[in-house]
Amino acid sequence: MASQAAESGRGDIVGRESGGFDDDVFLIARIMDGQRSTAEQRAQALKAQLSEYSALGDLTTQSSSHHVTHIATDHSARVRAALDAAHVLTDEFVREAQAGGAGLAEALRQYWIDRAQRAVLYADTIRERGDIFLAHEAAGCPPVLVYGYDLVLDGADQPRPTNYVLLRVRPPEGMQTFDWKRPYVIIDPRAGQGAGIGGSQMDSQVGVALRDGHPVYFVSFRREPEPGQTLADVTRTEAAFVRYVQAQHPKSAKPVVIGNCQGGWATLLLGASNPDITGPLVLNGAPVETWSGEIGRNIIRYNAGLIGGQILPMILSDIGNGVFDGAWLVLNFELMNPGRNYFRKYYDYFNEIDTGRSRFLEFEKWWGGFFLMNEEEILWIVRDLFIGNRLARNEARLEHGRNLDVKQIRSPVIVFTSLGDTITPPKQALNWIVDTYADESEIRIRGQRIIYMVHEKVGHLGIFVSSSIARREHTEVASTLKTIEALAPGLYEMRIEDIIGEGADQQFSVSFNERKMSDLPGANEGRRDEVPFAAVARLSELQGELYDIFLRPFVQGGVTQATAELSRALHPLRLQRGLLSSHNAALRPVEALARATVENRAPADEDNLFVRTEQWLANAFEQSVDIARDLRNAWYETLFFSIYATPHMRWFGRRFEFGRTRKSREELFALPEVQSALAHIGGGGFVEAVIRMLILLADSRGNVRKDRLERSAHLLNKTEPFSHLAPVERARIIHEQSLTAQFAREQALERLPDLLHTAEEREQALEAVHYVLGPLSDADPRAAATFHAFRHVLGLPPLVEEVGAAPEGQAVTA
């Protein structure tokens, strides 16, 4: 064939001084081979492009299918319910009319009186909201905590000043905190509004900790940032706060740090850059893996691609004279659900006008407290986190030459997310685990404990605001934090099941189930919908560079501090509050009219036909807005994929489409900590033997019940010889024995006699293990079999007598 001819031709011409017929054959053969090779390459490239078009089609089809199904299912159900309600109302109107109409006339009279009075009271509430807004802004927007507090440390006094402050929460009357109990440090989000939402109700994260006697500290911040403040400075300030808290409680364990929403990724930054100072980290609804989400639901993640990437905060910061106005972020959140934010919440309050005033105003005080950021702060958040998605990929840097690696976190991490959260869906809250660690075995190898909990339906703010969540989930998380160090390293799902009781007296069953990466929510759905965001990231950087070079000098040249202040004052969210206040002369008479209205209040009955008709109309109006929102979302998502999921944009973003380099299982096995643990598999004594057996028991059943975890924590912290171990030493032994159980389970079991030399010592060790396990009749069959295997390996007879409770302060004995 041609290639053979080429080879023969090549041999013929070697050493020749001039060409001939064979030279022509060789040249033709080479041309034919080149053409064939080029054709094959083109065919392969075409096949790859067709495959990418197929992926584009799959994404748009999946998106359209989800939106059509959602609109058809949700709105058809709502329309059916509305038609049924209209039928009932019509029948009742007809009956009243046939009865003479006197009842209708009286109902109409009551309705108009009630609605006129409600309108006056509602107008007065909106006026008061405006007054509160203006007073709150004049005071610098202090935190909206319902608890008293004292300022104990000011970030403005740090070597690199920030607008952050540390507050110590004062327990209310009847509550007492103890300095020897583990302190809590709560970091609220700085995402447009101010701090305090995590403690804005008595039933809250703060309340849960205070009721249990824990000292509580709150990381707050002033409205305006310090000049030149960066996120690196903020992280340093938060680290100084945590060190201060630890110094104030030298007899306690390291502080728990709780991060709400954007305070969650700030908590990860703190733990990654200061792994030695924190205790457990709790992330509530924290967006970390920002490219992730669910097709058809999480529309906000497409904003960077469709309304501009980092160029938008750059322009807004320039208009603000180097300061970004957080009110723009709040407006963005409100536009996600206009039916709820611009109608339903106000109409709900209108219907609760007699009882809901204080609750409405308290929330609006926080929601309308708009905060500012320096350009460098908002740009890092947008560029490195929300668009660049660099934190989980080990590409994020607070400063030049200082990468943030979340693998450096040594504290246990608890992640709380919800299926009902459309702002931070479970994938955004959890996929950083998949991108950071090779698999769940690396989590164990590195001695890390990651626990996640997925709520079924609570919304984003409800994760850290809802009273019911505080009474249930946060209470159980707080209880778990007392015992989490006794849990073997690994990835766990925390499950809470209601068992008995109602309300505040309800009791729950809590368990920790060991999980694999493939068990995380949405793991089986794949992540191909994240690929287009690489092109968004590159385009965002390109836009930012072009704007910085060609347009920024002209924009900045037309801005002064006065124009910046004016632009903030004219923001729509500030205008709607400032204009509807007592500063507006038209609203001044409303206050006196409202007082008179309260004295003569005559509410209509809830079953009033006209009230129910109004509510029907309100529901219909809200649904019409929701339909428009859903159609907008469908168009928005389809447009995004149509632009950024094309083969050209896939090529454009190829350099940004990467994950962090992770070790293979063989490389993990070769890590020094693994080899050291295996080398010492026969070393140690009573402590190592008991901890090894507890870990083998937990591995055998795949989950740990909370009551067993509490008994394990009691054993390891309150009884001899464990109680004399330093926390660092205890953690080292648990880590080492976990590696032994993971990589050499059979050998770990067989070598137990090398750790326990006498029959008495072996019996005491098994009594301690049996205390944690509990009655064998209540144990999982696999755990019971493992326990019997311990007795067999150690040469002890089968167990006859159960073990009771462990005495305080001493080792468990029969």
Side-chain angles (χ1 to χ4, degrees):
M1 301 299 290
S3 60
Q4 294 173 340
E7 289 299 323
S8 62
R10 182 188 304 270
D12 290 341
I13 65 174
V14 171
R16 295 188 181 181
E17 296 181 357
S18 59
F21 176 77
D22 289 339
D23 294 331
D24 296 335
V25 171
F26 174 65
L27 179 60
I28 294 172
R30 292 193 63 183
I31 292 174
M32 292 175 61
D33 268 359
Q35 290 293 329
R36 185 173 62 178
S37 175
T38 301
E40 291 175 352
Q41 291 173 356
R42 289 175 178 172
Q44 291 175 356
L46 179 61
K47 183 179 179 181
Q49 283 192 335
L50 292 175
S51 175
E52 290 179 8
Y53 273 116
S54 175
L56 168 62
D58 290 344
L59 287 173
T60 54
T61 300
Q62 185 179 350
S63 172
S64 301
S65 174
H66 178 93
H67 286 290
V68 169
T69 302
H70 168 72
I71 293 173
T73 303
D74 179 60
H75 291 289
S76 62
R78 292 170 68 176
V79 167
R80 284 195 299 271
L83 291 175
D84 291 342
H87 181 72
V88 171
L89 288 171
T90 303
D91 289 345
E92 292 190 28
F93 271 108
V94 170
R95 283 197 299 270
E96 289 292 336
Q98 291 174 345
L104 277 180
E106 177 60 20
L108 182 60
R109 185 190 69 82
Q110 293 180 2
Y111 170 79
W112 279 116
I113 292 174
D114 174 55
R115 262 34 198 179
Q117 290 178 336
R118 285 178 187 268
V120 171
L121 297 176
Y122 177 81
D124 187 54
T125 300
I126 296 301
R127 176 201 59 80
E128 186 177 357
R129 182 186 73 162
D131 292 349
I132 290 173
F133 165 75
L134 294 174
H136 193 53
E137 285 235 320
C141 296
V144 295
L145 289 166
V146 295
Y147 297 90
Y149 58 84
D150 300 303
L151 193 155
V152 295
L153 207 60
D154 195 333
D157 299 329
Q158 294 296 309
R160 298 176 67 169
T162 66
N163 64 336
Y164 278 65
V165 293
L166 180 66
L167 312 175
R168 177 160 184 172
V169 179
R170 293 196 297 265
E173 187 176 353
M175 289 187 189
Q176 183 180 4
T177 60
F178 305 93
D179 285 345
W180 55 267
K181 282 202 167 188
R182 189 199 293 269
Y184 280 58
V185 178
I186 299 176
I187 303 177
D188 252 10
R190 187 167 165 234
Q193 293 102 346
I197 191 65
S200 59
Q201 300 186 44
M202 297 305 290
D203 280 334
S204 61
Q205 300 167 335
V206 174
V208 167
L210 289 176
R211 279 196 298 272
D212 203 27
H214 294 274
V216 177
Y217 294 82
F218 213 92
V219 176
S220 183
F221 35 86
R222 297 188 179 91
R223 179 176 177 268
E224 298 186 7
E226 292 289 324
Q229 172 181 312
T230 67
L231 278 182
D233 300 333
V234 170
T235 302
R236 283 193 177 91
T237 297
E238 290 171 342
F241 289 169
V242 174
R243 291 190 179 95
Y244 171 86
V245 171
Q246 182 63 72
Q248 299 304 304
H249 304 274
K251 295 182 180 179
S252 75
K254 291 180 179 180
V256 173
V257 182
I258 299 177
N260 295 325
C261 185
Q262 294 205 42
W265 57 255
T267 299
L268 278 184
L269 300 188
L270 173 65
S273 55
N274 301 272
D276 59 318
I277 65 173
T278 68
L281 308 178
V282 182
L283 315 181
N284 293 318
V288 181
E289 188 71 37
T290 51
W291 288 2
S292 296
E294 185 177 339
I295 291 179
R297 292 195 64 202
N298 310 124
I299 308 300
I300 195 172
R301 62 181 176 148
Y302 306 126
N303 280 357
L306 295 178
I307 64 176
Q310 67 186 57
I311 190 174
L312 194 57
M314 291 173 73
I315 293 173
L316 293 174
S317 296
D318 285 342
I319 293 173
N321 200 26
V323 175
F324 177 82
D325 187 358
W328 292 109
L329 298 178
V330 180
L331 181 62
N332 194 28
F333 291 138
E334 288 190 347
L335 291 173
M336 287 182 61
N337 194 354
R340 172 65 192 170
N341 293 315
Y342 296 130
F343 173 73
R344 174 54 67 176
K345 80 170 182 178
Y346 296 106
Y347 183 70
D348 284 348
Y349 169 63
F350 185 80
N351 281 318
E352 300 171 356
I353 202 79
D354 297 310
T355 59
R357 185 180 183 115
S358 60
R359 183 171 62 252
F360 176 83
L361 289 175
E362 286 169 2
F363 180 79
E364 286 295 300
K365 180 180 181 180
W366 173 75
W367 188 257
F370 308 120
F371 278 59
L372 310 178
M373 299 183 195
N374 285 337
E375 181 190 359
E376 288 192 20
E377 295 180 282
I378 187 64
L379 269 188
W380 191 96
I381 294 171
V382 171
R383 182 184 59 236
D384 285 51
L385 192 69
F386 284 98
I387 297 179
N389 194 31
R390 295 173 177 174
L391 184 58
R393 300 189 296 174
N394 198 27
E395 293 290 319
R397 289 180 294 179
L398 278 177
E399 298 168 305
H400 292 295
R402 187 185 178 193
N403 275 43
L404 290 166
D405 189 355
V406 292
K407 282 186 182 180
Q408 297 302 313
I409 297 174
R410 290 294 175 261
S411 306
V413 178
I414 297 179
V415 182
F416 183 24
T417 183
S418 172
L419 296 174
D421 188 348
T422 57
I423 294 178
T424 305
K427 286 185 177 182
Q428 280 192 12
L430 294 170
N431 274 354
W432 65 270
I433 303 171
V434 179
D435 284 354
T436 300
Y437 298 95
D439 55 23
E440 59 280 354
S441 65
E442 184 178 4
I443 298 176
R444 292 194 292 268
I445 289 170
R446 296 188 180 277
Q448 182 58 281
R449 299 164 184 83
I450 300 178
I451 301 170
Y452 69 91
M453 179 170 52
V454 182
H455 195 276
E456 291 297 324
K457 57 184 179 181
V458 68
H460 182 68
L461 285 179
I463 289 178
F464 41 92
V465 175
S466 170
S467 295
S468 61
I469 295 298
R471 287 193 295 267
R472 185 177 186 262
E473 274 77 5
H474 290 316
T475 297
E476 293 305 325
V477 167
S479 179
T480 298
L481 293 173
K482 302 174 185 177
T483 57
I484 194 170
E485 280 88 353
L487 199 63
L491 176 65
Y492 298 88
E493 180 182 9
M494 180 178 177
R495 300 186 65 86
I496 303 177
E497 299 175 357
D498 306 340
I499 47 175
I500 59 172
E502 294 292 337
D505 298 325
Q506 198 169 37
Q507 297 181 10
F508 312 104
S509 172
V510 180
S511 64
F512 301 91
N513 300 278
E514 194 162 6
R515 295 294 188 231
K516 297 180 179 180
M517 297 292 194
S518 57
D519 296 323
L520 291 172
N524 297 325
E525 299 171 5
R527 300 175 66 178
R528 61 180 180 176
D529 59 311
E530 298 178 24
V531 174
F533 290 94
V536 176
R538 184 179 183 187
L539 184 60
S540 174
E541 288 204 0
L542 182 61
Q543 288 174 341
E545 291 293 335
L546 292 175
Y547 171 76
D548 187 57
I549 295 170
F550 296 108
L551 295 179
R552 167 163 275 184
F554 302 101
V555 176
Q556 290 180 340
V559 173
T560 65
Q561 187 59 32
T563 61
E565 293 292 345
L566 180 62
S567 70
R568 287 191 278 271
L570 294 178
H571 190 282
L573 295 184
R574 287 192 178 87
L575 277 180
Q576 68 168 261
R577 287 165 170 80
L579 292 178
L580 298 177
S581 69
S582 295
H583 288 199
N584 186 336
L587 292 178
R588 289 174 188 169
V590 171
E591 185 175 6
L593 186 59
R595 284 197 297 267
T597 300
V598 171
E599 295 174 359
N600 300 283
R601 185 79 175 96
D605 295 334
E606 291 184 2
D607 62 348
N608 184 296
L609 266 177
F610 293 96
V611 171
R612 291 162 55 195
T613 301
E614 177 199 275
Q615 292 173 346
W616 183 90
L617 290 171
N619 291 335
F621 175 75
E622 183 188 18
Q623 183 176 6
S624 67
V625 178
D626 289 347
I627 290 175
R629 175 205 64 197
D630 293 341
L631 291 173
R632 176 203 68 183
N633 290 349
W635 167 80
Y636 206 63
E637 188 169 58
T638 302
L639 179 64
F640 177 85
F641 286 132
S642 299
I643 295 173
Y644 291 101
T646 59
H648 175 73
M649 294 307 288
R650 175 71 179 267
W651 174 88
F652 179 75
R654 68 194 186 284
R655 295 178 183 174
F656 288 70
E657 184 188 337
F658 62 87
R660 69 183 292 163
T661 302
R662 292 174 291 179
K663 295 182 181 296
S664 65
R665 184 170 180 82
E666 292 74 19
E667 291 173 316
L668 292 174
F669 183 80
L671 288 174
E673 50 262 51
V674 176
Q675 295 303 312
S676 175
L678 297 180
H680 294 89
I681 197 168
F686 183 89
V687 170
E688 287 79 5
V690 171
I691 291 176
R692 181 183 298 182
M693 286 189 282
L694 290 176
I695 291 171
L696 289 170
L697 275 176
D699 285 348
S700 66
R701 60 178 173 259
N703 66 78
V704 182
R705 275 190 353 211
K706 182 186 171 186
D707 57 342
R708 293 194 178 106
L709 185 59
E710 289 174 344
R711 290 197 294 269
S712 179
H714 175 86
L715 175 74
L716 298 180
N717 291 280
K718 302 293 185 182
T719 64
E720 294 292 351
F722 306 96
S723 59
H724 275 73
L725 291 173
V728 174
E729 178 65 12
R730 187 184 301 113
R732 184 196 64 78
I733 295 174
I734 293 175
H735 183 202
E736 185 176 80
Q737 297 306 318
S738 297
L739 294 177
T740 300
Q742 177 182 350
F743 287 97
R745 180 180 176 85
E746 295 300 325
Q747 193 177 1
L749 178 63
E750 295 170 358
R751 299 293 295 274
L752 280 175
D754 295 341
L755 281 64
L756 301 167
H757 305 290
T758 67
E760 180 183 5
E761 194 177 35
R762 295 176 181 183
E763 196 68 60
Q764 287 180 350
L766 282 173
E767 287 171 1
V769 174
H770 192 193
Y771 159 69
V772 174
L773 177 63
L776 290 178
S777 59
D778 187 41
D780 182 275
R782 293 165 297 180
T786 302
F787 181 79
H788 290 305
F790 294 156
R791 298 191 68 86
H792 176 73
V793 166
L794 294 173
L796 297 176
L799 183 68
V800 176
E801 187 176 7
E802 296 283 359
V803 177
E808 184 77 19
Q810 63 185 45
V812 181
T813 57

